[in-house]
Amino acid sequence: LELAQMDILEVTINKARVYLILLIDDFSRFILGFRLLEQTSVDEVIQLVRGAVDQYGKMEELLTDRGFVFYSWRGINRFEKYLENEGIDHTHASAHHPQTLGKVEALNKRIKNELFRQKHFSTLEQAFSALTKWVDHYNHKRPHQGLGGFLVPAERFQGQEQKALDDIANSRDVTAQIQDIERSIVNLV
């Protein structure tokens, strides 16, 4: 929770534009929260951050782009004021430089390719249900290449990284379906 990244991805559901707001922990890539909305608003972004803080604790810093809900060209907007009041440092990525938000941008791409381009959803509720399952799988069951190829984001976020490393060092078969985590020998090699 030293740094979190937040971004908004526009997707199409049944020919309608909807917006996916993602909040992730930078170190572990753990998805702290998400919203799937027909319209973005400062209030929804604040609620997402507030819910993540209530559930996981306060992040020290939040990195966002300069989208209208995150940034105001004139003064300070309600979201920036909320972060200031909560004692959360707010850093903006450079304009036209998505690489600064590389981790959340990579997650956007993954969700788009694996979920929204693979399945057709008739309603926002169907998409939200599928997204909820996808996020649970991503956080708790799917090893992440950026975490060495065998840790899932929840293990790193919850400080269980050393246990997984110890299991491997002790020749425990971590390729088996342990706690439903899909570890593979290819990732370990």
Side-chain angles (χ1 to χ4, degrees):
L1 291 172
E2 289 179 18
L3 174 66
Q5 293 187 21
M6 188 176 215
D7 196 24
I8 299 175
L9 172 67
E10 183 180 304
V11 294
T12 303
I13 296 176
N14 206 17
K15 297 183 181 179
R17 282 188 208 167
V18 296
Y19 303 91
L20 171 60
I21 307 174
L22 288 168
L23 176 64
I24 68 166
D25 177 63
D26 183 80
F27 176 68
S28 65
R29 277 82 160 182
F30 186 82
I31 299 172
L32 299 166
F34 64 94
R35 292 267 196 285
L36 192 60
L37 306 165
E38 293 176 338
Q39 280 187 299
T40 60
S41 73
V42 172
D43 293 329
E44 288 290 348
V45 172
I46 290 171
Q47 286 178 9
L48 179 59
V49 173
R50 185 177 286 140
V53 168
D54 289 347
Q55 187 168 3
Y56 301 110
K58 185 175 81 170
M59 66 262 337
E60 294 176 25
E61 181 179 358
L62 180 60
L63 175 63
T64 67
D65 60 17
R66 294 172 185 259
F68 80 94
V69 293
F70 304 128
Y71 180 77
S72 174
W73 293 100
R74 290 183 246 156
I76 185 169
N77 73 10
R78 280 194 342 264
F79 177 64
E80 293 170 303
K81 188 68 173 167
Y82 164 77
L83 293 177
E84 184 180 290
N85 290 339
E86 293 297 314
I88 299 170
D89 292 331
H90 188 199
T91 303
H92 298 101
S94 300
H96 311 294
H97 198 264
Q99 297 89 333
T100 306
L101 289 161
K103 292 173 185 169
V104 74
E105 292 289 356
L107 182 59
N108 283 343
K109 183 178 177 183
R110 177 166 281 146
I111 289 173
K112 202 170 194 176
N113 288 337
E114 295 178 9
L115 187 63
F116 291 103
R117 288 189 178 152
Q118 298 294 322
K119 298 182 182 187
H120 173 76
F121 303 107
S122 299
T123 65
L124 189 65
E125 292 76 22
Q126 283 179 346
F128 183 78
S129 177
L131 180 61
T132 300
K133 291 175 187 169
W134 191 95
V135 167
D136 181 64
H137 183 264
Y138 172 89
N139 275 344
H140 300 282
K141 297 178 178 139
R142 176 184 182 156
H144 196 292
Q145 279 304 121
L147 305 177
F150 60 92
L151 291 175
V152 299
E155 288 174 321
R156 184 176 253 187
F157 183 75
Q158 296 166 349
Q160 298 172 347
E161 187 172 12
Q162 193 57 50
K163 181 185 178 312
L165 294 171
D166 290 344
D167 287 346
I168 290 170
N170 294 325
S171 302
R172 184 170 169 211
D173 182 10
V174 294
T175 62
Q177 291 291 330
I178 302 168
Q179 300 172 3
D180 296 325
I181 296 173
E182 300 169 359
R183 303 190 202 276
S184 76
I185 196 67
V186 173
N187 286 340
L188 293 173
V189 170

